[in-house]
Each structure stands twice: as C-alpha cells, then as structure tokens.
Amino acid sequence: MVTPDMWKRFVDDASPLAADADRRASPARGDRLVRDEDLPGLGRYAGDVRLVVTGGAGQIAGAAAYCRKHGVEVSSLDLTVRDLGDPAGNVRRFLAAFDVALAAGDLIEDTVVHVRVAGELTPSWLAALDEIAAAEWMVTLPLDGQLDPESWIDAAMDRETPVSLVGGTPGQAVAALRTAARLWGDEDDLTAARRWVRSWATPDVDAALDHLEQLDHLGSR
C-alpha cells in the first residue's frame, strides 16, 4: 500500500557537505546529518540539521551551544552508545546531558534523539532499550550486518518506540520497513510501517530517491 505521503521526510542526508550545492529536491528528504566536528564548514545552510555527536555525553552541550550561537536549526540529535559494558548507563548519561542543554536553552524539548545501538539484543541492550523508550527517544539501527534488524524492531515495537535506520542499501532499508509492516500485521502496508520506522540516513541520497520512486511506480511491490 502506497500513499502520496508514504516517503515524506524518510531519507536523511548523510552525504558530504560539499555535495549540498547539487542537492536534489524531494519531499522524501528529511534532516541533514552534520557531524559536530564539521559544523564550522556548514556555511549558510538553513534546513533542519541532525547533529551527529562524535563523542560521549560530555560533548552534547558544547555542540548544541555552538549550533544555537551560529543559528543552526537542530531538529534532531544523533548519539552512539559506546559503553558496551553498560549501554543503559550510557543512555542515562545522554539523558542527563540532554537535560543540561535543554535547561541552557540550546536544545528544545521537541528535539528528536536518535540513539545508535550495536550487536546482539542481549539483556543489557534490552535494558538500554528500556531507557530509550522511557525517554521517548528513537533507537537507531545500523544496516551494516552487525545486528539483526528484526529482533530490534520487534523489541522496539513492544515498547512503542520508533526506529530509525542508518547506512546499508535502499533494499535493506525497505526490507526493514517490510519487517515492521509484517510484525504489525501486513507486510505490504509500508505506510503503516512508517509509524515505526521513521527515517533512514544514507550518504547516497540520489540512489535512495531513485529506489523509492521506482517502488512508487511499481505500487511498492
């Protein structure tokens, strides 16, 4: 099932900043990924930014303050759990740092937070997923073959927690959507799956848009 808004803001742009001059317009485009260390090269970009924090929780406040000072619209944060021994504790540290930036006025409450996870869905990762769900954040699944998307999507849906994707191919991204649709009840209902799988970050946006347009042309099959 495909609707006109099926792919709205699904593709987050992780291409190099130098490619911005040739950005292809599409309603499927979402946020622009920008690493905190690349912020000085952002220039006059006026769209929504998904701020990728390359370090730990302690790096959130400085990056967010820089963005506010320079007029960068941070619509979402992109964080990576690096403490694999205590991922739940890592998420709690993210939350504490987010609250500090919120109190300082450098972030707003509506900021979407993507938390990248890794590996097998162990009890410690389930505890981290509980923390992500409690914060009403989003669990972000790398499509690099290092984790099983289905088990993570299933666990996230059990907690009514949305998912975002990063990396991989257009086929892998659509496969993850179909997984969510099947778990929800109808593998072909990709529109319903978007309730759970909110976005996909890719450096090859043109290939992504071409693939999605072809799916629309074929009726998503």
Side-chain angles (χ1 to χ4, degrees), residues 142-159:
L143 298 178
D144 56 6
Q146 300 301 305
L147 55 72
D148 171 29
E150 179 164 351
S151 62
W152 279 95
I153 292 171
D154 193 20
M157 290 173 70
D158 282 346
R159 292 161 174 78

Side-chain angles (χ1 to χ4, degrees), residues 84-101:
L84 303 185
D86 182 18
N90 201 154
V91 175
R92 287 192 292 271
R93 291 191 292 276
F94 284 151
L95 182 58
F98 180 88
D99 286 343
V100 169

